[in-house]
Every structure is written in C-alpha cells, then in structure tokens.
Amino acid sequence: KDLHLDDDLVSHIVTSLKNNERLTNLDIAIKNTSDSVWDQISQLLCDKTSIAATYASNHTLLKFGESENEPFEVETYLTMNEHPSKLSV
C-alpha cells in the first residue's frame, strides 16, 4: 500500500537529515511534492548560502526516495555525492 507523505512530513524528514552522516538511501515514495520542498531537499544536499554551509551540507545521502518529478538539480547533487573523494561536491 502506498503511503502518501505530504509536504509538511517531507519537510520534517529533510530537517532531520541535516546532520546525517550515516544514512545513504532513503526509500520513500514522494508524490505531488511542491517546489518549495524540493528547494529544501536541494539546500540540504548543497547549501549555497556560504562556503561553510556548502561544506556542512549533507554529502552522505545518495538517494532521496522515488519520485517522477525529482528536479535535475537534486538528481545532480545526489550523483555528486557518489564520488568517494567529494572534491566535486
């Protein structure tokens, strides 16, 4: 049975992953997610507000659920996280 996660719940998941250093794959189905939540996910993976924020971004996560409308930017950041050297991140 599909579990529908609304924007508020996905937003809480994003917040809880901010200091994640172990979880690499989050296997959830994301449907009808708003652009603002995708922006939060993008910022989680690569926070561009400062050099320190970029450095502190989540570079551990390789997969953030299943979605048909995952933005290219999020897909790119997740792919960059796969590099073992993290130099491209």
Side-chain angles (χ1 to χ4, degrees):
K1 185 175 179 179
D2 284 341
L3 175 65
H4 176 71
L5 303 177
D6 64 11
D7 280 359
D8 190 46
L9 184 54
V10 175
S11 181
H12 285 294
I13 292 170
V14 170
T15 300
S16 69
L17 290 171
K18 190 166 187 120
N19 296 314
N20 170 57
E21 294 180 358
R22 293 185 184 212
L23 182 69
T24 57
N25 295 294
L26 186 61
D27 194 12
I28 57 175
I30 303 172
K31 297 180 181 179
N32 302 322
T33 303
S34 70
D35 290 342
S36 66
V37 171
W38 282 117
D39 289 344
Q40 290 176 27
I41 295 168
S42 179
Q43 187 168 9
L44 167 75
L45 298 171
C46 186
D47 185 345
K48 300 177 193 175
T49 58
S50 71
I51 293 172
T54 301
Y55 181 79
S57 296
N58 185 316
H59 301 298
T60 305
L61 201 59
L62 306 176
K63 179 180 177 185
F64 192 95
E66 293 290 330
S67 175
E68 295 176 0
N69 66 332
E70 180 179 88
F72 179 74
E73 185 176 63
V74 171
E75 182 181 336
T76 300
Y77 293 148
L78 290 169
T79 300
M80 287 170 42
N81 281 352
E82 293 176 8
H83 295 284
S85 69
K86 305 296 184 207
L87 292 175
S88 63
V89 179

